């Protein structure tokens, strides 16, 4: 995209010259200079040189002093210098002091013998070792504390968390709050000596093709920069929250082609003004795939961050069911029937037992599904009408759902007259359309009969 209007490049002939049919030759009258061919050539050379200087000055800027230049048609403003080539340097210099490396420390595993290798031999506390590396950035200082944004998966299962500042200093960090759904976390460190704080840009104003930069700690190489473009401003990708291969959430992200490697997670994605427009979160790491990275848009991340600062968690409505997608269950049943149709059914039972880990998802998104040993798998004939092929099977009802009468083997097909075909849709409807304390109508099948029940959504409490 040009920094200039198209008319700057116009080759149109002046209307005044075009309208006269007279000879445009020089007049000798009143001028004591004879325009010989040599003098004409010299004058033409001087005019050409002057024109070249003028054009070069318009492109590069005559004034090289510090200042700010507003670009045309939404192009990022130039800070500190009028030279567009300096934009990446000034943007990186603005952001880098606020970027930190995150160290996730966990207890060492026990040795093969009876003696525990997880103690330090002093006070009996477990000896910690580095389990994961990631990135983060300081976004505010409040009452002597500096707050850091990073990814939840960067600090997951950590016994202790440390933040390494841009000057190499390591400080202990306290986890303020985490949210597995959006993969965000907020940390807190002592703010003494910290001056740099990140500024946020307008992620909603990003455009495909816009230049962006990723800063972080890839592969342990702290203070590392990569650059690329926005491949797509809004990409919806499925996410498996329990990492079991079943997608139970969808995340809106910015797709970029800037290199994102292990350790970049949690670091800032910045525009050429040095403002944060996203939090680097993930990449496609399959063989033969290059330049497909993703960042959480800042306008989506900040409400989550504010909730983590205020409550230590994100308050969401709670239905209270552990579920399994009906489509997944029916596919498993069909595969079992086809592969073991002549058997006595014991193999089919084994398949169902195995699917406890595969299909027991995180309920309505508020319950911790799949990890509770008390969650059972669907049993027997669900007795559904032939036209019912999508919905979610209740594996266990707790809290509000249990109080409302929902039970094992019920098949939920609608919430407030909105069809629900999967756990992902159930969770998206709850989090996107409902709030804590709202009433919800649940339509479900039990023993082949359609029923409805209405109750209030509660707030999820820690288990």
């Amino acid at each position: 995209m040009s920094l200039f209007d198209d008319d700057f490049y116009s080759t149109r002939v002046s209307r005044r010259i075009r309208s006269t049919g007279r000879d445009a030759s020089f007049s000798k009258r009143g001028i004591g200079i004879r325009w010989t061919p040599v003098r004409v050539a010299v004058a033409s050379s001087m005019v050409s040189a002057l024109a070249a200087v003028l054009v070069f000055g318009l492109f590069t800027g005559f004034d090289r002093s510090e200042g700010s230049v507003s670009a045309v048609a939404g192009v990022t403003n130039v800070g500190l210098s009028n030279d567009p080539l300096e934009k990446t340097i000034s943007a990186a210099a603005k952001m880098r002091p606020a970027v930190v490396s995150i160290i996730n420390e966990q207890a060492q595993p026990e040795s093969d013998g009876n003696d525990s290798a997880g103690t330090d031999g002093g006070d009996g506390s477990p000896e910690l070792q580095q389990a994961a590396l990631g990135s983060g950035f300081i976004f505010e200082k409040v009452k002597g504390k500096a707050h850091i944004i990073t990814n939840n998966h960067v600090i997951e299962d950590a016994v202790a968390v440390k933040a390494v500042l841009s000057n190499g200093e390591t400080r202990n960090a306290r986890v303020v709050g985490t949210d597995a759904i959006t993969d965000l976390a907020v940390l807190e460190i002592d703010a003494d000596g910290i001056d740099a704080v990140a500024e946020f840009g307008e992620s909603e104003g990003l455009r495909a093709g816009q230049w962006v930069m990723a800063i972080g700690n890839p592969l342990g190489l702290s203070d590392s920069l990569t650059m690329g473009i926005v491949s797509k401003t809004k990409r919806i990708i499925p996410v498996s929250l329990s990492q079991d291969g079943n997608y139970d959430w969808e995340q809106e992200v910015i797709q970029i082609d800037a290199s994102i490697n292990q350790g970049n997670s949690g670091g800032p994605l910045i525009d050429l003004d040095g403002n944060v427009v996203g939090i680097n979160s993930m990449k496609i790491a399959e063989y033969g795939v290059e330049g497909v990275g993703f960042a959480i848009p800042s306008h989506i991340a900040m409400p989550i961050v504010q909730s983590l600062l205020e409550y230590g968690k994100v308050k969401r409505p709670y239905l209270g069911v552990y579920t399994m997608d009906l489509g997944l269950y029916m596919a498993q049943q069909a595969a079992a029937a086809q592969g073991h149709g002549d058997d006595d059914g014991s193999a089919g039972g084994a398949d169902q037992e195995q699917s406890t880990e595969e299909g027991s998802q995180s309920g309505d998104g508020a319950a911790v599904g799949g990890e509770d040993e008390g969650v059972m798998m669907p049993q027997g004939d669900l007795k559904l009408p032939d036209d019912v092929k999508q919905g979610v099977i209740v594996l266990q009802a707790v809290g509000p759902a249990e109080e409302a009468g929902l039970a094992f083997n019920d098949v939920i097909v609608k919430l407030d007259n909105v069809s629900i075909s999967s756990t992902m849709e159930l969770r998206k409807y709850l989090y996107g359309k409902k709030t804590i304390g709202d009433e919800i109508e649940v339509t479900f099948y039990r023993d082949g009969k359609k029923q409805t029940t209405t109750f209030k959504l509660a707030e999820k409490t820690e288990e």
Side-chain angles (χ1 to χ4, degrees):
M1 177 174 293
S2 169
L3 292 177
F4 304 94
D5 291 323
D6 292 339
D7 285 344
F8 179 84
Y9 296 102
S10 175
T11 57
R12 291 177 295 181
V13 180
S14 170
R15 189 180 308 168
R16 182 172 51 191
I17 295 176
R18 188 173 58 233
S19 62
T20 61
R22 303 172 185 173
D23 185 3
S25 62
F26 291 104
S27 172
K28 299 181 181 179
R29 184 167 41 189
I31 301 178
I33 299 176
R34 183 181 178 184
W35 290 95
T36 63
V38 174
R39 288 175 176 173
V40 171
V42 172
S44 299
S45 299
M46 293 177 64
V47 171
S48 298
L50 180 59
V53 170
L54 289 172
V55 171
F56 181 79
L58 288 172
F59 270 102
T60 61
F62 292 105
D63 183 8
R64 309 298 290 184
S65 62
E66 293 186 356
S68 177
V69 176
S70 179
V72 177
V75 177
T76 308
N77 294 335
V78 180
L80 302 180
S81 171
N82 291 343
D83 189 350
L85 299 180
E86 294 290 323
K87 290 162 65 176
T88 58
I89 299 173
S90 59
K94 175 182 177 180
M95 186 66 210
R96 287 166 66 184
V99 180
V100 299
S101 299
I102 304 298
I103 301 175
N104 177 330
E105 294 186 338
Q106 299 179 15
Q108 291 187 6
E110 293 185 359
S111 62
D112 295 336
N114 294 328
D115 296 334
S116 173
T119 60
D120 61 5
D123 57 2
S125 60
E127 183 178 351
L128 303 180
Q129 63 180 1
Q130 178 179 300
L133 284 172
S135 306
F137 60 94
I138 301 167
F139 70 98
E140 70 173 9
K141 294 196 303 179
V142 179
K143 297 179 180 179
K145 300 295 182 181
H147 292 144
I148 299 170
I149 294 177
T150 187
N151 285 142
N152 174 71
H153 75 262
V154 169
I155 63 166
E156 195 170 20
D157 300 325
V159 175
V161 179
K162 289 182 169 60
V164 183
L165 306 183
S166 59
N167 61 6
E169 180 186 353
T170 300
R171 298 189 182 185
N172 292 324
R174 181 181 73 87
V175 178
V176 176
T178 63
D179 184 53
I181 299 291
T182 56
D183 194 25
L184 290 170
V186 174
L187 310 178
E188 182 180 87
I189 61 174
D190 181 34
D192 184 39
I194 293 177
D195 298 319
V197 175
E199 297 181 10
F200 287 90
E202 297 293 334
S203 58
E204 291 180 290
L206 289 174
R207 296 174 298 164
Q210 181 173 336
W211 288 102
V212 288
M213 302 174 68
I215 309 180
N217 183 31
L219 309 177
L221 304 173
S222 60
D223 196 23
S224 180
L225 308 172
T226 59
M227 186 171 181
I229 62 170
V230 174
S231 303
K232 191 172 179 64
T233 58
K234 181 179 179 180
R235 177 77 70 187
I236 305 298
I237 59 172
V239 177
S240 176
L241 297 175
S242 55
Q243 299 296 311
D244 59 1
N246 294 305
Y247 298 126
D248 42 20
W249 183 244
E250 285 183 336
Q251 180 79 294
E252 178 183 332
V253 293
I254 305 165
Q255 182 183 331
I256 58 176
D257 74 344
S259 297
I260 301 293
N261 294 290
Q262 185 176 2
N264 270 119
S265 294
L269 181 74
I270 65 173
D271 59 21
L272 295 192
D273 286 330
N275 297 327
V276 179
V277 293
I279 295 91
N280 302 318
S281 180
M282 65 190 85
K283 65 175 289 187
I284 296 180
E286 296 181 3
Y287 178 77
V289 178
E290 296 181 1
V292 184
F294 303 103
I296 303 169
S298 59
H299 74 274
I300 291 178
M302 288 314 297
I304 302 297
V305 169
Q306 293 302 323
S307 181
L308 295 179
L309 286 170
E310 187 171 358
Y311 306 111
K313 63 180 181 179
V314 178
K315 293 185 175 183
R316 294 189 174 97
Y318 176 52
L319 186 66
V321 288
Y322 295 83
T323 64
M324 178 181 184
D325 292 354
L326 177 61
L328 175 62
Y329 175 73
M330 294 178 72
Q332 290 178 344
Q333 292 297 100
Q338 183 177 3
H340 307 284
D342 297 330
D343 294 343
D344 58 5
S346 59
D351 287 343
Q352 291 183 25
E353 185 71 20
Q354 183 180 6
S355 67
T356 300
E357 290 299 322
E358 298 173 354
S360 183
Q361 304 172 5
S362 14
D364 55 33
V368 183
E371 299 178 358
D372 191 334
E373 295 180 358
V375 176
M376 299 183 294
M377 292 303 299
Q379 296 178 357
D381 185 5
L382 297 177
K383 299 179 181 179
L384 295 173
D386 293 338
D387 61 340
V388 177
K389 300 185 181 300
Q390 292 185 324
V392 292
I393 307 171
V394 176
L395 304 180
Q396 183 180 2
V398 296
E402 183 181 25
E403 294 174 3
L406 287 173
F408 174 68
N409 262 21
D410 288 345
V411 179
I412 298 174
V413 293
K414 287 184 179 181
L415 297 178
D416 293 336
N417 291 321
V418 176
S419 296
I420 300 297
S421 63
S422 64
T423 299
M424 183 189 298
E425 290 187 4
L426 184 148
R427 183 181 283 111
K428 286 178 63 179
Y429 182 81
L430 283 178
Y431 296 170
K433 304 296 183 182
K434 311 297 286 188
T435 59
I436 297 169
D438 285 352
E439 285 196 345
I440 189 168
E441 182 182 78
V442 180
T443 302
F444 62 97
Y445 282 91
R446 177 181 296 171
D447 296 328
K449 297 180 180 179
K450 181 186 288 188
Q451 301 184 40
T452 61
T453 182
T454 301
F455 56 94
K456 286 187 176 181
L457 297 170
E459 177 186 343
K460 175 67 169 62
T461 57
E462 298 297 328
E463 296 184 2

